[in-house]
Amino acid sequence: GPKFSWYVRSAGHNTVVIDGKDQVAGNGETTLWADGKEFHAIRASAPALVAAPQYERTVALVDLSPEACYLLDLCRVVGGNDHAWFLHSHFGDLTTTGLNLAPAADYGHDTQMRHFRGDFEATPGWVADWKVNDRDGHGPSGQETHLRYTGLTRGAQVYTAEAWVCPGGFQTNEEAWIPRLLVRRQAAQAPLRSAFVGILEPYGTRPAVASARRLALHTPAGAAYPDNHAAVEVRLVDGRRDLLVAADVENPLGLRPALREAGLLVQREWGLRTDAELCLVRRNQAGAIERVVLCRGKELT
């Protein structure tokens, strides 16, 4: 039945679904791999899974201290009319900041979710925070655990919902519902092009990330790069600031300008110029450059 198949449905996982359809069997390719001392990243491309021009994900893990970190999560999708990005954590309470949620229609497509509430014109910079309920006692007694997501996707609708789970696996009939997040983009004309961008941070009682925002990218001649290229500024509670820049190397629609033709990405507020496909620049509390990471690039100023 629908609940049995829910566990193998693409929409039941932390991924992007195009037009409500499940992924098909197929292979992908790792297109970037970076494993540094305090910076780790992977970019994977698998358009065959969804029979679409682009289906790519970039995840970068940024260490802030031996105890604290955050992740940049970036999904680039081209194809169809309806893109739905899903995220769930664990049992617990989900609260949001910066969203005006109202009762909304279900996502549909025979997915096992309920109690939808949506903001149909969400302003990037909103936050969703899971306070995890360690019902199975995996962590130390009394330890507080959170997962925080800062949503930076432009032109999106944002929903909270509950998803059906079977906590006992296939050995019991126990049922439960866990909180879930859905970021959705739709267009009347195909192919829709989306860049789902956000910052994920696991933390205990106090997050290390104060806020995050998208910044504009230009060519040296001043032409604006399209939304599938991403620059994200992350402000830390301790006063440091990170800038992450991730270029869309595939660019299947041939959007202009293209990185390979323009050669450089320019971020004016930071005075940054680089040809890197992925980079990180960190400023300390005084504004001085503290750390630079380049992936597949030869220059950064």
Side-chain angles (χ1 to χ4, degrees):
K3 286 186 175 178
F4 175 81
S5 62
W6 172 233
Y7 268 49
V8 297
R9 297 288 307 277
S10 297
H13 295 76
N14 292 339
T15 191
V16 179
V17 173
I18 300 177
D19 295 339
K21 299 175 182 177
D22 292 323
Q23 297 173 5
V24 298
N27 296 319
E29 179 185 5
T30 300
T31 59
L32 184 146
W33 176 270
D35 190 15
K37 185 178 179 183
E38 298 179 11
F39 182 89
H40 321 269
I42 184 170
R43 187 179 66 210
S45 178
L49 299 185
V50 290
Q54 188 175 34
Y55 197 62
E56 179 202 274
R57 192 170 208 155
T58 302
V59 179
L61 171 63
V62 182
D63 292 329
L64 302 174
S65 72
E67 295 79 30
C69 67
Y70 68 83
L71 298 98
L72 169 71
D73 183 31
L74 168 56
C75 294
R76 295 185 181 95
V77 182
V78 173
N81 300 80
D82 185 342
H83 296 168
W85 176 96
F86 294 96
L87 179 68
H88 61 264
S89 174
H90 195 57
F91 294 96
D93 300 315
L94 175 62
T95 58
T96 63
T97 306
L99 293 174
N100 297 310
L101 297 172
D106 285 9
Y107 172 69
H109 300 290
D110 291 325
T111 51
Q112 299 304 301
M113 293 184 289
R114 68 182 188 183
H115 297 167
F116 278 80
R117 294 176 61 80
D119 184 336
F120 310 110
E121 295 180 349
T123 301
W126 54 269
V127 172
D129 191 301
W130 282 262
K131 183 178 181 182
V132 174
N133 172 15
D134 185 14
R135 55 178 264 159
D136 297 322
H138 293 301
S141 178
Q143 176 177 289
E144 196 168 307
T145 303
H146 291 254
L147 179 68
R148 194 169 186 248
Y149 181 80
T150 304
L152 302 172
T153 303
R154 294 168 174 155
Q157 310 153 24
V158 179
Y159 301 84
T160 61
E162 293 180 345
W164 179 86
V165 293
C166 184
F170 299 104
Q171 309 304 318
T172 74
N173 290 323
E174 183 183 3
E175 297 180 294
W177 297 82
I178 61 172
R180 205 141 196 252
L181 193 63
L182 163 59
V183 181
R184 192 176 193 180
R185 300 187 74 255
Q186 295 171 295
Q189 299 258 332
L192 174 62
R193 172 176 55 88
S194 295
F196 293 95
V197 185
I199 297 294
L200 275 163
E201 181 192 7
Y203 71 95
T205 56
R206 186 168 180 256
V209 173
S211 63
R213 63 183 179 126
R214 292 282 297 277
L215 300 179
L217 289 167
H218 293 85
T219 69
Y225 278 101
D227 189 59
N228 47 323
H229 299 267
V232 176
E233 182 185 76
V234 179
R235 290 183 174 265
L236 306 177
V237 172
D238 64 13
R240 292 179 294 173
R241 287 186 298 149
D242 286 355
L243 174 65
L244 293 131
V245 176
D248 179 20
V249 179
E250 294 184 3
N251 190 22
L253 297 182
L255 299 175
R256 298 291 182 268
L259 176 62
R260 288 195 176 100
E261 296 168 1
L264 290 174
L265 295 155
V266 175
Q267 209 304 297
R268 292 171 174 171
E269 288 186 47
W270 278 64
L272 175 137
R273 294 161 63 98
T274 185
D275 68 342
E277 294 181 9
L278 178 66
C279 74
L280 165 73
V281 179
R282 175 170 296 162
R283 292 188 183 274
N284 64 16
Q285 290 87 341
I289 301 297
E290 185 178 89
R291 183 173 298 280
V292 173
V293 179
L294 250 67
C295 301
R296 289 205 168 182
K298 295 180 180 178
E299 63 177 282
L300 184 147
T301 56

